[in-house]
Amino acid sequence: MTDGAALPEFVRLVSHPLRWQLIAELARSDLRVRELVAIVDEPQNLVSYHLRLLRDGGLVAARRSSFDARDSYYHLDLERCAIALADVGVALHPALRMAPVPSAPMRRSGRASVLFVCSGNSARSPIAEALLRRHAGNRVRVSSAGTRPKDRIHPHAVRVLREQYDIDIEGQAPRPLDSTRSRRFDRVVTLCDKAREALPDGEYWPRAHWSIADPAAGDESRSSYSRYLSAAAEIDTRVRQLLPSLSTEKED
C-alpha cells in the first residue's frame, strides 16, 4: 500500500471554514480587519491569526490605508488563487485542467453599468474607466467621478494609457461625484481609501473597494511615472477580474 499524494498547500489553506469565509469576502472587496470581524462574527485575534496564515501562503496581501495609517486593507490575490486552483486540478488528474476565464462578459440582455470613484478623478478612476471600456467595449456602460475632483487628468495617467494600452483620454476632464447622482449603477468601485470614506451612507450601492496606492503621492520627479505604471497594471488586472462577475450578477 502506498502513501497518498500530499495535500496541496492551497487546499490546506482554504479548507478551513473561517479562512474560506474570509477569502470569499475578500473576493468581493478589499476590507479592513474590523470589517471582517463584524462579517464573520468571530474575535479579532482569531480573524487576525487566520489572515496571517493566508498572507504567509501568498493568497492575501495587506496595504496600509491612505485614509487612516493605523488601518490596513486586505486584498485577495485572485490570480494566485486561479493558478493554485489549476494546479490542484492537474495534481488530482490531468483531465481536470482548468480552462481560462473569458476576458469579456458574455451577456444575454442589457448592459452592466459601473462607476469608478477616487478622490480627484485624475488618475486611478479614469484609468479604470478607460481600461474597462477597452476590455468590455459596448457591453458595459462605464463612468468615473471624484469626491473632490481636480482641474485636470494627471499627465502621467494620460501618458500611461497612451503608451501602455493605446488609449487616448487627452480631452477628458475630471467629473464631480454629484454629476452621477441621477444615475443607477450595477457596481460602484472605489479605488482610494479616502474616497471610500467620503461616499455618502446609503448611496452608491452595491459597492466594492480596491485599495490602490495613490500614484501621485510623493514627489513629482520624473521617476514618479513608474508609480503610474504600477497602478495601471494593478487596475488592469482587477478590471479583467471584474468582468466575469458583472456578467454573472446581471444574469441572476
Side-chain angles (χ1 to χ4, degrees):
M1 183 174 178
T2 59
D3 293 335
L7 187 68
E9 179 67 9
F10 178 78
V11 174
R12 186 191 66 78
L13 274 173
V14 304
S15 60
H16 188 283
L18 180 53
R19 289 199 289 273
W20 179 258
Q21 191 175 2
L22 291 172
I23 66 171
E25 294 298 333
L26 292 173
R28 301 182 183 97
S29 178
D30 295 1
L31 294 165
R32 295 167 290 195
V33 170
R34 67 174 180 270
E35 293 169 327
L36 288 165
V37 167
I39 291 168
V40 303
D41 194 23
E42 295 287 355
Q44 181 168 331
N45 61 342
L46 183 63
V47 171
S48 295
Y49 167 74
H50 286 287
L51 283 172
R52 180 174 61 80
L53 294 180
L54 291 169
R55 289 182 67 182
D56 291 345
L59 300 183
V60 167
R63 174 175 285 150
R64 190 70 64 184
S65 169
S66 60
F67 177 76
D68 185 345
R70 297 168 296 181
D71 262 335
S72 292
Y73 277 95
Y74 285 82
H75 162 61
L76 180 66
D77 190 333
L78 284 173
E79 287 202 333
R80 183 166 291 213
C81 287
I83 293 169
L85 277 169
D87 290 344
V88 167
V90 173
L92 185 58
H93 193 281
L96 298 180
R97 183 178 302 278
M98 296 176 63
V101 175
S103 60
M106 305 301 293
R107 310 186 54 75
R108 293 175 183 166
S109 62
R111 290 194 301 165
S113 56
V114 178
L115 173 66
F116 292 108
V117 181
C118 66
S119 296
N121 193 220
S122 63
R124 286 165 288 184
S125 57
I127 288 173
E129 175 189 0
L131 290 172
L132 179 55
R133 185 172 289 117
R134 177 190 180 185
H135 288 300
N138 61 4
R139 287 165 286 194
V140 173
R141 182 167 52 86
V142 58
S143 187
S144 68
T147 56
R148 300 181 64 182
K150 297 190 176 180
D151 57 357
R152 63 169 184 165
I153 304 290
H154 196 286
H156 285 338
V158 175
R159 177 186 169 191
V160 75
L161 286 172
R162 182 178 64 247
E163 294 184 353
Q164 302 299 317
Y165 304 96
D166 196 26
I167 300 172
D168 182 11
I169 62 166
E170 184 74 45
Q172 186 171 316
R175 311 177 190 102
L177 187 60
D178 285 346
S179 67
T180 68
R181 287 186 184 276
S182 62
R183 299 168 58 186
R184 297 190 63 175
F185 297 92
D186 296 307
R187 183 75 66 89
V188 177
V189 182
T190 49
L191 291 94
C192 92
D193 305 332
K194 294 178 182 178
R196 186 192 190 214
E197 301 295 334
L199 281 189
D201 291 337
E203 295 186 54
Y204 299 101
W205 293 95
R207 293 187 198 174
H209 181 56
W210 300 347
S211 183
I212 308 292
D214 184 2
D219 63 69
E220 286 295 310
S221 66
R222 186 173 298 177
S223 63
S224 68
Y225 180 60
S226 64
R227 298 196 294 268
Y228 287 80
L229 288 169
S230 297
E234 182 176 355
I235 292 169
D236 186 55
T237 296
R238 297 220 197 190
V239 161
R240 287 185 284 106
Q241 292 166 348
L242 174 67
L243 285 170
S245 67
L246 291 176
S247 177
T248 301
E249 290 172 3
K250 197 67 175 180
E251 291 177 4
D252 286 347

